[in-house]
């Protein structure tokens, strides 16, 4: 993000709303799914939309601010991946049934690093065109992990089985048979949404009234948003501790 004097507080506010929503969502998940109070909860349409709104927001905002952190993006990408691996290790040891493999931190960490290589080409593309094309690709690749590309009701392209038989391709969106993860965000399709956020930044920065709007946020929420990574890292242990105090051990 820019310096304090020129900071775009609306971005922090949006991130603050998303992190609060995520904490509430994961607490509900722990109660209803991990502790089995209502196993059907996760399969409802409302919960799916809620979950998607959180991850879409985080990935879009992360792509939006990428160029503001240009000088530290290598370190940031590596650290996000390290924290993602830590979360994988902890969940495997403590809650193997809810183990996280290639979760959202690994997804964003890889996107941060991939953008370093992609930006020389992306910056040649007009912002509006890039935003529309990247979002269209996100929609087309949205169900790649299910074995096909397409747009519901428009077209469907089945992908070859060998893509899903190669385990090393799982982080790219081609999970092998039997793969399970409680928080799986592969590079495809989510890299396209990240790139969409990058182009959205360029569009907003090119329109002065939008820049002015982006400088105004809600102080409590923007403060929360600036510490979103640390809240993300500690919130699940806190949620589980509360559940253990209320319901006992799983």
């Amino acid at each position: 993000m820019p310096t304090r004097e020129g900071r775009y507080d609306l971005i922090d506010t949006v991130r603050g709303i998303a992190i609060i929503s995520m904490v509430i969502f994961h607490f509900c998940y722990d109660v209803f799914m991990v502790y089995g109070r209502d196993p059907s909860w996760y399969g409802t349409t409302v919960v799916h939309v809620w979950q998607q709104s959180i991850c879409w927001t985080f990935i879009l905002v992360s792509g939006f601010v990428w160029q503001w952190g240009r000088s530290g993006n290598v370190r940031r990408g590596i650290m996000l991946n390290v924290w993602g691996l830590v979360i994988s290790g902890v969940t495997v040891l403590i809650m193997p049934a809810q183990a996280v493999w290639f979760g959202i931190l690994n997804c964003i960490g890889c996107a941060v690093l991939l953008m370093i290589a992609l930006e020389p080409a992306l910056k040649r593309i007009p912002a509006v065109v890039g935003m529309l094309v990247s979002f269209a690709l996100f929609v087309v690749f949205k169900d790649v992990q299910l074995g096909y590309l397409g747009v519901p009701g428009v077209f469907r392209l089945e992908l070859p089985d060998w893509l899903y038989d190669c385990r090393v391709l799982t982080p790219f969106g081609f999970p092998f048979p039997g793969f399970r993860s409680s928080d799986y965000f592969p590079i495809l399709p989510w890299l396209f949404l990240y790139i969409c956020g990058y182009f959205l930044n360029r569009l907003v920065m090119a329109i002065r009234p939008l820049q002015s709007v982006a400088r105004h946020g809600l102080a409590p929420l923007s403060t929360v948003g600036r510490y979103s990574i640390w809240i993300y890292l500690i919130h699940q242990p806190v949620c589980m501790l509360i559940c253990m105090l209320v319901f006992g051990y799983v």
Side-chain angles (χ1 to χ4, degrees), residues 177-246:
F179 172 77
R180 290 186 61 186
S181 175
S182 63
D183 184 41
Y184 176 51
F185 285 87
I187 292 171
L188 298 176
W190 299 102
L191 177 62
F192 292 124
L193 189 63
Y194 192 94
I195 293 172
C196 187
Y198 163 82
F199 281 115
L200 180 60
N201 177 291
R202 284 177 45 190
L203 183 64
V204 170
M205 292 302 103
I207 302 174
R208 190 172 297 275
L210 291 181
Q211 289 187 46
S212 179
V213 170
R215 292 188 186 279
H216 301 285
L218 298 176
L221 291 173
S222 62
T223 300
V224 170
R226 288 195 288 274
Y227 295 98
S228 58
I229 181 62
W230 303 112
I231 295 172
Y232 181 88
L233 291 171
I234 68 171
H235 84 282
Q236 191 64 295
V238 172
C239 288
M240 287 301 296
L241 177 60
I242 294 172
C243 286
M244 284 189 289
L245 291 174
V246 174

Side-chain angles (χ1 to χ4, degrees), residues 3-201:
T3 59
R4 178 64 263 166
E5 293 76 15
R7 197 173 184 96
Y8 294 93
D9 284 333
L10 181 60
I11 309 305
D12 285 327
T13 296
V14 171
R15 190 157 41 191
I17 293 170
I19 195 69
I20 291 171
S21 181
M22 185 202 67
V23 170
I24 297 171
F25 178 89
H26 281 163
F27 180 73
C28 292
Y29 183 91
D30 293 341
V31 172
F32 295 128
M33 303 302 294
V34 177
Y35 276 83
R37 290 306 190 262
D38 183 4
S40 65
W41 173 83
Y42 191 68
T44 63
T45 301
V46 171
V47 170
H48 176 72
V49 172
W50 182 14
Q51 187 260 355
Q52 290 292 293
S53 72
I54 297 168
C55 58
W56 281 42
T57 300
F58 273 123
I59 292 173
L60 266 174
V61 169
S62 295
F64 189 96
V65 303
W66 181 87
Q67 56 188 318
W68 290 340
R70 191 185 305 273
S71 62
N73 277 337
V74 172
R75 180 182 60 83
R76 186 174 298 107
I78 292 172
M79 288 308 300
L80 285 170
N81 275 296
V82 168
W83 281 119
L85 292 173
V86 169
I87 289 174
S88 293
V90 171
T91 54
V92 167
L93 290 173
I94 297 178
M95 296 187 302
Q98 300 292 328
V100 173
W101 296 107
F102 211 84
I104 195 165
L105 290 187
N106 287 119
C107 176
I108 294 176
C110 287
V112 170
L113 297 175
L114 287 170
M115 279 294 295
I116 297 172
L118 293 173
E119 200 212 5
L122 294 176
K123 68 182 180 181
R124 300 173 183 270
I125 303 173
V128 174
V129 173
M131 188 170 65
L132 293 176
V133 170
S134 57
F135 186 76
L137 288 171
F138 170 69
V139 172
V140 170
F141 277 79
K142 187 68 170 65
D143 293 316
V144 65
Q145 63 187 279
L146 301 179
Y148 64 90
L149 307 180
V151 178
V154 179
F155 79 95
R156 176 179 172 128
L157 175 64
E158 300 290 337
L159 295 173
D161 291 340
W162 64 264
L163 287 171
Y164 301 87
D165 292 332
C166 185
R167 293 188 174 226
V168 298
L169 294 181
T170 295
F172 294 91
F174 308 101
F176 60 87
F179 172 77
R180 290 186 61 186
S181 175
S182 63
D183 184 41
Y184 176 51
F185 285 87
I187 292 171
L188 298 176
W190 299 102
L191 177 62
F192 292 124
L193 189 63
Y194 192 94
I195 293 172
C196 187
Y198 163 82
F199 281 115
L200 180 60
N201 177 291

